[in-house]
Amino acid sequence: MLNRILAPAFKQVKNIEFLPAKNFTLDNGIHLHVVDAGDQDLVRVEFIFNNVNWNPSKPLQAYTVNSMLTDGTSELTATQIADKIDYYGAFLQTDYTYDHSSVTLYSLTKHLKVTLPVIKAIITDSIFPQDELDTFIRNQKQSLTVNLEKNDFLSRKTFSNVLFGDSLYGFNTTAETYDKLTQKQLVEYFKNAYQLSNCTIVVSGKVTSETIKILNDLFGNDPVPISTTIENMFSFPSNSIGSEHYTEKPEALQSAIRIGRKTINRKHPDFPGLQVLNTVLGGYFGSRLMANIREDKGYTYGIGSAIVSLKNAGYFFIASEVGAEVCSKAIDEINKEVLILKTQPVPDDELVLVRNYMLGSLLGSLENAFSHADKFKNIFFYGLGYDYYERYIHTVKTISAEQIMQLANRYFNTEDFEKVIVGRK
């Protein structure tokens, strides 16, 4: 008879299988990475470009170029680009991160011959019309003005700048920064960055030999120039460790808190263990920060922590918005939870719960070819192989409470944490 009072027993995930990407080479030497799976005649084609030549005097080049790629070529207007893609039931998106910019096409395989040429036009012939640039600048400035009134946005912005200064990862963008954008800057950056020698192509979905042939016919016959781009130079500030950065908002009912420090990225051997430690602290709904500061104290609707991996850095942060009158108490409780992790082993039952959560989340994130391709990108751009996931799974399954405590003492020194608070004292 079913007992509805007792929770079902946990069963740890035993096997997690990845669909490794297969590597192909187009006729001109460009590498193509393919994750072939699924029965639906749908394919995702990603053109991923390294962000290059970051210049503090022109900090918004890469972001703006990526944002305006669909605003027109020498032969197609923005409306014509949208109409051509929509007509065939396809979907086009551009994405910008600190390290990469991408152009992604979702299309039925039978329509690739007509949808992919539109993508080629975008990544080889964008012209960034002045009227579209004027509109972009106006909209971005309006959006920034609105966002600067939000405590959470301002705390994120300040935190990035505190950690990374006016570098690619932390530049303090203002309305005046947008005013410095010119069409000449965009064309210059586009010619440097959007070239096949700086491009990684990842295709996922139902990928047939015909799909690869179409890609080769369109992109494999173009000459590949020797790249003239250079790597971004990173020199992060040696800021005062453990300082408090306060922005007064006298009328605020809530204060936004962001606490953390620079740390390791995915390439470091401690990274999987640090992810386990972070999950215990604030990485899921049942975490210690949620149990204490939301459930027990009632200071917030939500609080969490995360480890962020960037190509040239990594950082850890804790973030929440709490009632202004309990801001100091919330920070005290955060420090208390970190101290407990440094001095007391995680109990076995809690560690079992965290292991099951992390393994279940990983398994659940592998639902289709697109998600398997995302896992491939996570390792490819760090120069890692699929053995990274083997080490990750092994760490989650076997890490001891003692090892977690050692990691907490190595990486979670609250005296080194930068503390950003936006709200009311």
Side-chain angles (χ1 to χ4, degrees), residues 92-365:
L92 166 65
Q93 69 182 44
T94 59
D95 292 290
Y96 169 85
T97 67
Y98 286 130
D99 295 316
H100 302 99
S101 298
S102 63
V103 179
T104 303
L105 172 71
Y106 294 84
S107 176
L108 294 176
T109 52
K110 64 182 179 181
H111 294 323
L112 278 177
K113 284 187 177 180
V114 286
T115 54
L116 269 178
V118 179
I119 307 305
K120 184 173 184 180
I122 288 170
I123 64 177
T124 61
D125 189 36
S126 284
I127 59 172
F128 313 101
Q130 184 63 50
D131 58 336
E132 296 286 358
L133 176 57
D134 293 340
T135 300
F136 173 83
I137 292 172
R138 183 170 60 252
N139 290 342
Q140 290 295 308
K141 289 170 65 176
Q142 290 174 349
S143 177
L144 181 63
T145 300
V146 171
N147 284 329
L148 286 175
E149 296 301 314
K150 302 174 182 177
N151 291 357
D152 184 55
F153 175 86
L154 190 54
S155 69
R156 291 200 310 270
K157 190 171 184 285
T158 303
F159 184 75
S160 296
N161 187 251
V162 166
L163 291 191
F164 299 113
D166 282 334
S167 69
L168 171 62
Y169 293 162
F171 190 84
N172 185 23
T173 301
T174 64
E176 290 72 24
T177 315
Y178 286 102
D179 288 331
K180 295 177 182 178
L181 283 168
T182 66
Q183 186 185 40
K184 181 179 178 181
Q185 285 181 22
L186 305 187
V187 172
E188 172 192 61
Y189 185 85
F190 177 72
K191 289 180 177 178
N192 274 332
Y194 287 78
Q195 50 180 283
L196 287 178
S197 57
N198 186 43
C199 181
T200 299
I201 305 176
V202 180
V203 187
S204 52
K206 190 174 182 180
V207 184
T208 65
S209 57
E210 177 65 16
T211 303
I212 297 173
K213 182 179 183 301
I214 293 171
L215 282 161
N216 187 59
D217 290 344
L218 267 174
F219 298 96
N221 295 314
D222 293 348
V224 180
I226 298 174
S227 178
T228 57
T229 60
I230 60 172
E231 288 294 324
N232 295 315
M233 302 302 292
F234 289 87
S235 56
F236 303 135
S238 55
N239 44 283
S240 55
I241 294 177
S243 358
E244 182 176 300
H245 310 267
Y246 186 78
T247 301
E248 174 74 21
K249 290 287 192 73
E251 304 303 320
L253 298 178
Q254 288 191 314
S255 294
I257 300 171
R258 191 158 287 244
I259 298 172
R261 55 163 291 187
K262 292 192 289 286
T263 185
I264 59 177
N265 68 6
R266 188 172 278 112
K267 290 187 286 189
H268 196 285
D270 281 348
F271 192 75
L274 193 57
Q275 287 180 296
V276 178
L277 169 62
N278 172 73
T279 303
V280 174
L281 176 64
Y284 74 124
F285 193 80
S287 70
R288 293 186 176 190
L289 290 178
M290 285 290 282
N292 180 343
I293 296 171
R294 173 193 155 104
E295 301 299 333
D296 184 39
K297 302 298 187 302
Y299 292 162
T300 182
Y301 286 110
I303 183 170
S305 63
I307 309 290
V308 180
S309 179
L310 303 167
K311 184 177 179 180
N312 296 280
Y315 64 95
F316 160 76
F317 73 91
I318 299 167
S320 184
E321 287 190 89
V322 302
E325 71 282 357
V326 295
C327 183
S328 295
K329 292 180 180 179
I331 293 174
D332 289 341
E333 292 301 320
I334 290 171
N335 290 335
K336 185 183 82 173
E337 293 298 340
V338 173
L339 179 62
I340 291 173
L341 280 172
K342 295 170 68 175
T343 55
Q344 300 177 23
V346 178
D348 290 343
D349 57 344
E350 183 180 8
L351 189 49
V352 168
L353 179 63
V354 168
R355 292 191 209 279
N356 290 336
Y357 168 79
M358 294 183 71
L359 294 173
S361 295
L362 178 59
L363 182 62
S365 70

